[in-house]
Amino acid sequence: MVSCLWGRRRSNKSALSDPVDPNSKIVIVGAGIVGSAIAFQLTRRHRNVTVVEAKRPGSGATLASYAWINSRDKEPREYHDLNRRSLDMWPRFAKDLNADIGLRWGGEMRWTVTDKGAKSLLDQAEVLRSWGYPVVQVTKDQARAMEPGVVMEPFTSAVYCGIEGHVDTQRVVRTCLNHAQQAGADVISNDSVTSINTEPGAEAKSAATSVTLASGRELACDVLVLAAGYETTGLAAMAGIEFSQQTSPGATVVTEPLSPIFRNIVCMHMPRDLPEPLMNVRQFPDGSVMIHGGTHNGSIGDTSDDDAEKLMAQIAGFIPTLHGANVKEVRRGMRPMPEDGVPVIGFSESVPNLYLAVMHSGVTLAALTGEFATTEILDSSRIDILQPYRVERFSR
Ligand SMILES: Cc1cc2nc3c(=O)[nH]c(=O)nc-3n(C[C@H](O)[C@H](O)[C@H](O)COP(=O)(O)OP(=O)(O)OC[C@H]3O[C@@H](n4cnc5c(N)ncnc54)[C@H](O)[C@@H]3O)c2cc1C
């Protein structure tokens, strides 16, 4: 039987009293941006980490992501604050990664085409400002002067938020894992966890003792971190932990490199008071443009590339530089989205050595999650602003 320091030590003590043994084995399932950020932070503290990834690191939702770092449309207020805090932590995260991860700041602009849309946009901006989030109204002339390459017609209002940015998620994942490996972590790719093995602990709890991989390997663990995105629900169920997720497919289209489309901002949302699909646009440092098309409940069509071409034609009506641009890639992924729309982060009460990290806005939240998960795992702290995100909220 595999020894599980965590489960045994905790049997007669409060969950908060015992820091993890420095030699304990930590297995992270999933090498998207969330699992990779956690691996990076844990190995900065010299822990024994193994990352298991079913496919290629960064190839899940993290690849498809629009990767806009923001705290817009995040309610309730405490969830807005969580995202804002992570947004503010990104510069330090990037500095610690010490590599070009394609992080670009410069803000986001959006405008409206109807009076109703304008009222809704400006009301929302007012609320965000009252929360200390700097969304400002810009006039038609200001908006056009800022971004002459965008056809903003008709126009009823516009807002700009200068503190937002975007990042190249593939570079973030690569850099996190490179650092982790240099610090001794083992990264296993193209091999998936097929079972989580547990043993009974005290007080009707259990402990995760090992995971079995599709290849047949068994990895012992003292702490198990599930950061497998949409697949986390199925994995958690193997350890008797129940929570459900929304079904939220998403897609982004990436073009060949083009000349710069924006002069000041780095992200733009096309009018949300137009019929769907919603369209969001950003440009990578190499000039290729990513168009995010869809809603939180769906994405551009299903799986046909015709849909991507249709999206390109629609977006070119607003950004003429995109007219005739070749689509290089269509990226599709399932958003990790717990049923109530907010993250699941933290240790499970029923399996006290199993840590969950599942979230939408995982790009925005990666900076905070990597750091806070590490504090909770290694220091036996419970961070109060993470309290609303414990998995037990689904079973109570
Ligand atoms: C279209 C789209 C647009 C988005 N836009 C934004 C945005 O603008 N801003 C923002 O902040 N967020 C955005 N998101 C959300 C964000 O991308 C995700 O929250 C984030 O990428 C989740 O990262 P993750 O590491 O948790 O999951 P994933 O990237 O999905 O990684 C999970 C990994 O676990 C692996 N895995 C699964 N099962 C197993 C197993 N059994 N064994 C081993 N490995 C396994 C998978 O292969 C995968 O690589 C968007 C998402 C989508 C899809």
Side-chain angles (χ1 to χ4, degrees), residues 189-320:
S189 302
N190 300 309
D191 203 355
S192 61
V193 169
T194 53
S195 66
I196 295 174
N197 309 308
T198 58
E199 67 177 28
E203 297 163 15
K205 298 180 194 287
S206 57
T209 52
S210 66
V211 292
T212 306
L213 310 189
S215 61
R217 276 178 80 176
E218 183 171 347
L219 304 174
C221 60
D222 296 301
V223 177
L224 179 62
V225 179
L226 298 185
Y230 185 69
E231 311 300 329
T232 308
T233 293
L235 284 163
M238 294 176 188
I241 301 164
E242 303 288 338
F243 76 99
S244 55
Q245 293 191 54
Q246 298 176 31
T247 304
S248 180
T252 45
V253 173
V254 181
T255 71
E256 63 187 351
L258 301 168
S259 53
I261 57 173
F262 298 132
R263 193 179 271 182
N264 290 286
I265 64 171
V266 292
C267 295
M268 184 166 239
H269 285 195
M270 299 306 124
R272 298 210 159 192
D273 49 348
L274 280 173
E276 290 183 356
L278 305 179
M279 289 178 288
N280 312 325
V281 182
R282 67 179 178 123
Q283 191 163 27
F284 287 98
D286 74 350
S288 53
V289 175
M290 175 179 268
I291 301 122
H292 176 206
T295 66
H296 275 198
N297 299 322
S299 61
I300 53 160
D302 31 57
T303 51
S304 90
D305 284 354
D306 294 353
D307 241 29
E309 297 296 346
K310 220 187 294 170
L311 187 76
M312 290 302 296
Q314 278 173 296
I315 194 77
F318 295 110
I319 303 178

Side-chain angles (χ1 to χ4, degrees), residues 29-35 52-56 58-70 191-194 227-231 235 250-252 292 333-336 357-365:
V29 186
I33 196 163
V34 172
V52 187
E53 166 53 51
K55 299 176 186 155
R56 179 178 62 74
S59 61
T62 296
L63 175 68
S65 188
Y66 180 59
W68 170 40
I69 300 171
N70 76 99
D191 203 355
S192 61
V193 169
T194 53
Y230 185 69
E231 311 300 329
L235 284 163
T252 45
H292 176 206
M334 290 298 282
R335 292 181 183 84
V358 191
M359 66 209 74
H360 180 59
S361 294
V363 175
T364 301
L365 290 170

